[in-house]
Amino acid sequence: MCIRDRDTIAAISTPLGEGGIGIVRLSGAEARPIAETIFQGKLSNRRLSYGHIIDPDSSEVVDEVLVSYMPAPHTYTREDVVEINCHGGPLPLQRILQLALRCGARLANPGEFTLRAFLNGRIDLAQAESVLDIVTARTQASLRLAVQGLRGGLSGAVKSLRSELMSTLAYLTARIDFPEDEVEPQDVVQSLSESLARLRGLIATADSGIVYRQGVRTAIVGRPNVGKSSLLNRLLRQDRSIVTPIPGTTRDTVEEVVNLRGVPFLLVDTAGIIHSKDVVESLGVERSRRAVEQADLVLLVLDISEPLSDADRDIIALIGDRPALVAANKSDLRQEAQIDGLPWEVVRTSALTGDGLSELEARMVNLALGGDVVTCDALMVANPRHKAALERAEKSLVQALDGVASGLPDDFITIDLTAALNCLGEITGETVHEELLEAIFSNFCVGK
């Protein structure tokens, strides 16, 4: 992806497949001329124009469409933009896109429309990343966080911090450059301490924010026939996994997303973990082991109507020190298992009756958020990249304060301050390199 490339770009901006409407989007200086070459109708500024897309070589009518033309700079990319609204089948969309490319457009790279919006100053980098978060949001809470980011919530806080640090840096630079002149004194320690406190306040929200944004990968594990699939179906409020009295019904992992109090949980129902000579069953067990290794949270299901078995103990050992929660299932039956002394919280549940389900959900959310259940209306850092940049800025500010306390010359303090400013600039895009932009926008879909 070349960020200096200013070709007119085109892409399908709606999901592929059959639908009522599909959109082909063009952006760039040649967007209107290209559209006029293939559109039989009259384009009007910022109005939908009715007509037909035709093949200019054969005069064949490709589709009946509505076309909007939006001149720069008041567009998503701050370039001329044309959007062709056609019927939402794969064939008309591809035909129209190919005609646009044949007439001079270039196929857009992933996220290139949003990249141009950033490069042209309509949004900053944190806002651009929020566009993708809106597209991929799985719950109302994660959607609110993404919209908050797009509206500039985090950007405003970061820019305010940068402004404070820039003021302190300017003061120190003046003392270095004009040692003989009288520079009005400032309390550097106080200003840096206040900035550090605000920075740490943002960092403190990051773990919860990232959970709301990314969700929690949760492996449901246990030996065969303890009720893992039944519990999954209860959490999903639908029959997703096959449930039978026959042990070993689940032979592969089954994944589904559920919204628990605003937090998206990717539930992974696994095959019962046992030693088996059956080839297919063994493959399923191995996938279950990998699911445990990759999980953010493990939900261990035990059948408390039976004494703990060697298989149960093997699974407990497999979980090790990973974050986990125990669902002591079949609580509607007489308890036989001794579950005291397990290193994790235990919730008694019955997948048959639904007893304990509400408490289990609450404990899962509480554990995922580290006990800090917060409102998503508050400003939160929800992107791991942003958290890492803030933590690097924090480290530089601490070093700057230590330098002041140690009596180091102003030159050394400005080095740490500049490093902190650069870290904050990585969030909003003031200090960013092309490789980072490529890494960020490669996660976008083509057409966004």
Side-chain angles (χ1 to χ4, degrees):
M1 179 189 301
C2 180
I3 65 175
R4 293 173 293 277
D5 196 337
R6 287 299 185 228
D7 294 343
T8 296
I9 55 175
I12 298 170
S13 290
T14 45
L16 295 179
E18 296 179 355
I21 297 173
I23 297 175
V24 176
R25 175 189 283 174
L26 298 92
S27 179
E30 297 300 312
R32 177 165 185 160
I34 290 171
E36 289 177 330
T37 303
I38 62 175
F39 176 57
Q40 193 174 62
K42 184 177 181 180
L43 288 180
S44 300
N45 290 5
R46 306 192 183 281
R47 294 178 182 272
L48 284 174
S49 303
Y50 168 78
H52 295 84
I53 295 296
I54 61 168
D55 185 329
D57 292 340
S58 65
S59 299
E60 175 195 359
V61 175
V62 175
D63 197 6
E64 182 181 36
V65 298
L66 292 172
V67 178
S68 59
Y69 165 62
M70 294 160 280
H74 303 296
T75 67
Y76 182 69
T77 60
R78 282 195 171 167
E79 301 173 338
D80 285 356
V81 171
V82 169
E83 290 186 351
I84 302 171
N85 296 258
C86 64
H87 291 94
L91 190 55
L93 281 165
Q94 287 292 343
R95 283 287 307 276
I96 293 170
L97 175 61
Q98 291 304 318
L99 287 175
L101 300 180
R102 201 172 78 197
C103 291
R106 171 177 60 77
L107 182 64
N109 291 310
E112 191 168 2
F113 291 94
T114 304
L115 173 62
R116 291 189 176 197
F118 162 67
L119 294 175
N120 292 330
R122 200 185 76 81
I123 54 177
D124 64 36
L125 191 55
Q127 290 174 299
E129 289 171 287
S130 295
V131 171
L132 180 60
D133 292 343
I134 289 175
V135 174
T136 58
R138 293 175 173 176
T139 68
Q140 287 293 332
S142 56
L143 178 60
R144 283 198 298 273
L145 279 177
V147 171
Q148 181 190 83
L150 182 59
R151 296 182 65 185
L154 176 63
S155 300
V158 170
K159 289 175 182 177
S160 176
L161 268 172
R162 289 193 88 240
S163 178
E164 291 177 2
L165 295 178
M166 285 290 288
S167 177
T168 304
L169 179 61
Y171 167 68
L172 293 175
T173 302
R175 290 205 318 194
I176 294 169
D177 293 343
F178 308 104
E180 298 179 358
D181 294 341
E182 187 174 335
V183 179
E184 186 175 345
Q186 292 184 19
D187 190 337
V188 174
V189 172
Q190 181 180 348
S191 60
L192 289 180
S193 297
E194 290 175 352
S195 296
L196 182 59
R198 290 181 59 191
L199 188 60
R200 284 174 170 167
L202 287 175
I203 294 172
T205 71
D207 289 340
S208 295
I210 291 170
V211 166
Y212 279 114
R213 175 181 181 262
Q214 295 186 169
V216 183
R217 187 175 182 86
T218 304
I220 304 176
V221 301
R223 60 181 171 83
N225 221 31
V226 295
K228 299 185 299 299
S229 297
S230 297
L231 195 60
L232 172 73
N233 291 340
R234 276 285 183 179
L235 290 169
L236 294 174
R237 273 71 172 177
Q238 61 175 302
D239 291 334
R240 176 61 179 86
S241 281
I242 298 173
V243 176
T244 74
I246 303 170
T249 301
T250 302
R251 291 195 164 201
D252 200 352
T253 56
V254 177
E255 300 185 5
E256 285 290 338
V257 176
V258 64
N259 176 2
L260 299 183
R261 309 185 187 195
V263 177
F265 283 81
L266 176 60
L267 302 179
V268 184
D269 183 19
T270 65
I273 299 178
I274 55 171
H275 299 290
S276 174
K277 295 181 179 180
D278 182 282
V279 175
V280 176
E281 198 168 55
S282 296
L283 290 173
V285 169
E286 181 55 36
R287 291 189 179 186
S288 298
R289 294 180 185 278
R290 287 203 303 269
V292 171
E293 295 171 357
Q294 296 168 358
D296 303 309
L297 173 65
V298 178
L299 184 59
L300 170 61
V301 184
L302 298 175
D303 180 353
I304 60 172
S305 70
E306 300 176 356
L308 291 184
S309 66
D310 290 340
D312 291 321
R313 296 185 181 91
D314 288 344
I315 297 168
I316 291 170
L318 174 65
I319 297 172
D321 58 358
R322 294 179 178 84
L325 190 64
V326 178
N329 198 34
K330 303 188 182 181
S331 62
D332 51 302
L333 303 177
R334 180 178 176 178
Q335 179 175 335
E336 296 290 343
Q338 297 297 320
I339 56 176
D340 296 333
L342 291 176
W344 311 292
E345 284 188 277
V346 177
V347 180
R348 284 172 169 76
T349 63
S350 171
L352 179 65
T353 67
D355 289 346
L357 189 66
S358 180
E359 182 184 355
L360 179 65
E361 292 176 349
R363 297 287 183 89
M364 289 171 66
V365 171
N366 190 64
L367 188 57
L369 296 175
D372 299 323
V373 180
V374 296
T375 170
C376 289
D377 294 329
L379 177 62
M380 298 179 71
V381 176
N383 188 312
R385 187 184 76 82
H386 299 165
K387 178 189 177 184
L390 290 170
E391 288 176 336
R392 292 198 306 273
E394 177 192 23
K395 181 179 179 181
S396 294
L397 281 188
V398 169
Q399 290 175 343
L401 278 166
D402 289 345
V404 174
S406 302
L408 291 178
D410 290 343
D411 310 61
F412 291 90
I413 311 304
T414 60
I415 292 173
D416 291 321
L417 271 183
T418 301
L421 283 165
N422 288 338
C423 291
L424 295 176
E426 288 179 14
I427 296 174
T428 51
E430 283 93 346
T431 53
V432 68
H433 50 82
E434 188 168 333
E435 290 77 12
L436 177 59
L437 291 181
E438 289 183 359
I440 291 172
F441 288 97
S442 64
N443 295 316
F444 283 61
C445 60
V446 175
K448 192 54 187 167

